[in-house]
Structure formats: structure tokens, C-alpha cells
Amino acid sequence: MSPGSGSMNRTSSVATNTDLSSPSTARTGSTTLFSGSSATSVMIGSRGNGTAVLAPEPPVMVFFTVHDGKYAFLHLELTPRIFINPESCNCRKNSKTACLTSVLETKDKLIPLRRSCAAKPAARGLYTWDLAKFRMPRHPQYKDVEVLDKVKYLTLKFTSVEAKDEFRKELGLLEKVRDLEMEMCRDILREKQHKDQKPAKR
């Protein structure tokens, strides 16, 4: 994965039945990670060579925040089932007061969210606050990353309308990248199936 656009300051909260149920007062930023995965791979087998068509990895959004006094990363895979729901914030009221909240929801039961914290609180834990745990190919310590398996939605509170708009634009760009990669993968599959259906030359 490679870093995408820069970070934005905002606060965030996660809705869950665990200790994340209370809104966080920590400053939070985010960055984006693109999949960069290959769509095809040459396979060598006992019956000859072939081509494996691999589904691209979904883009990833990483939130920089604080949990229990420790610096933390929240890692969110932007699957096609993740979306912003304007009905879950004050945007639905169309009031004169600007809404500074966005709510990320999923069409599934739970959001695919992971968390990695520094080993010690505050600045003492900075040297263990390692984003590389989420890299591809998988880091050996990826297995130690905490899976938050009770998160139903993610609430983001922004400091300004401009910051919120910037986030929505960034999210829209990631969705376009994801959809483009998926369409390219489908095109390769269709082309491969078309070639396989052609009668072999004698």
C-alpha cells in the first residue's frame, strides 16, 4: 500500500457495546491507503501455465486518534457496502446551523474496523505506534492487531464545514478508485472467459 492524501484534524467516536461507546475527545486525523494490488498473476501448475485473476484489495482509510491515553490507528476497509448516511446526522434537518458530523455506516451488520495502539501512553509510546502493521504484504505483527467486532457505525465530528467537505471529497475519490479497480478486474475476467470459449486451433 502507498500513502494517499494528507491528514485532517477532527474528533471521532465509535458506536459499540464496548469501551468505545463514549465519544472520543481526542484530535483525530486520517490518511488514505490505496490497494495497488495486481489484477493478474501467472500460475505454473502440473497441467501447464495459467493466469489467476485476483480481486483488488479495497482502499483503506486510517484514522489517527487516542485510545485510553495511547496513540492509536483505526483501520477501515472501504468495501462497497460502506457509505455516509446523511439521515444519521443533522444534515437531514436542512437547518441554518451547519452540520459538522458525518456518519459512516454499512449495509452489513458490522463495520470492518481494526485498531492498533502504542504500547505506552502519550509520548512514551510513540516509538511503538507503527502504521506498518497494516502494510501489504502482511506485516508479521498484523495478527496482533485488535479486531473491533461490535462496531455498527462510525461517527466523525469535524472542526469546520470545509474539513467535512474535504473528507467527503476524499472518500468519493476512494470510492471511484475502488469501483474502477473492480471494473478493470471484471473486464479481465470477461476477456479471459471469452478467450477460453474460443475453439482451439488445430
Side-chain angles (χ1 to χ4, degrees), residues 19-196:
D19 59 347
L20 282 175
S21 57
S22 299
S24 167
T25 57
R27 285 303 230 187
T28 304
S30 79
T31 189
T32 52
L33 300 177
F34 294 91
S35 70
S37 59
S38 175
T40 61
S41 178
V42 176
M43 306 294 291
I44 301 175
S46 59
R47 298 184 180 180
N49 298 342
T51 302
V53 180
L54 308 176
E57 294 285 339
V60 165
M61 183 165 286
V62 177
F63 298 91
F64 300 72
T65 186
V66 175
H67 174 68
D68 287 345
K70 300 177 181 178
Y71 290 110
F73 295 118
L74 288 179
H75 173 282
L76 174 64
E77 286 190 356
L78 294 174
T79 69
R81 301 183 69 78
I82 299 290
F83 65 100
I84 291 178
N85 188 356
E87 295 299 316
S88 296
C89 64
N90 288 332
C91 288
R92 68 183 185 277
K93 297 180 180 179
N94 293 322
S95 63
K96 294 182 179 179
T97 303
C99 178
L100 301 180
T101 300
S102 284
V103 181
L104 287 172
E105 298 185 6
T106 178
K107 296 177 183 177
D108 298 320
K109 291 183 178 180
L110 300 170
I111 284 182
L113 197 64
R114 291 175 170 82
R115 180 172 60 200
S116 176
C117 297
K120 295 180 180 180
R124 289 182 296 156
L126 275 176
Y127 73 97
T128 61
W129 194 36
D130 189 4
L131 183 59
K133 291 180 181 179
F134 296 110
R135 69 166 170 80
M136 294 290 285
R138 286 302 181 202
H139 192 282
Q141 294 182 3
Y142 180 74
K143 64 182 185 300
D144 300 326
V145 172
E146 181 183 7
V147 177
L148 304 179
D149 56 2
K150 296 181 180 179
V151 179
K152 296 181 179 179
Y153 59 88
L154 186 66
T155 300
L156 304 177
K157 297 180 181 179
F158 299 84
T159 56
S160 66
V161 174
E162 290 75 18
K164 177 179 176 178
D165 289 343
E166 184 181 353
F167 170 78
R168 292 175 71 98
K169 289 178 181 178
E170 182 177 347
L171 184 63
L173 174 61
L174 286 173
E175 290 171 340
K176 289 180 180 179
V177 170
R178 179 197 63 208
D179 295 344
L180 178 60
E181 287 190 339
M182 288 302 300
E183 184 59 32
M184 290 174 62
C185 183
R186 287 190 288 265
D187 288 344
I188 293 171
L189 276 173
R190 284 192 290 265
E191 182 179 355
K192 182 73 170 60
Q193 290 170 350
H194 178 69
K195 289 181 178 179
D196 290 344

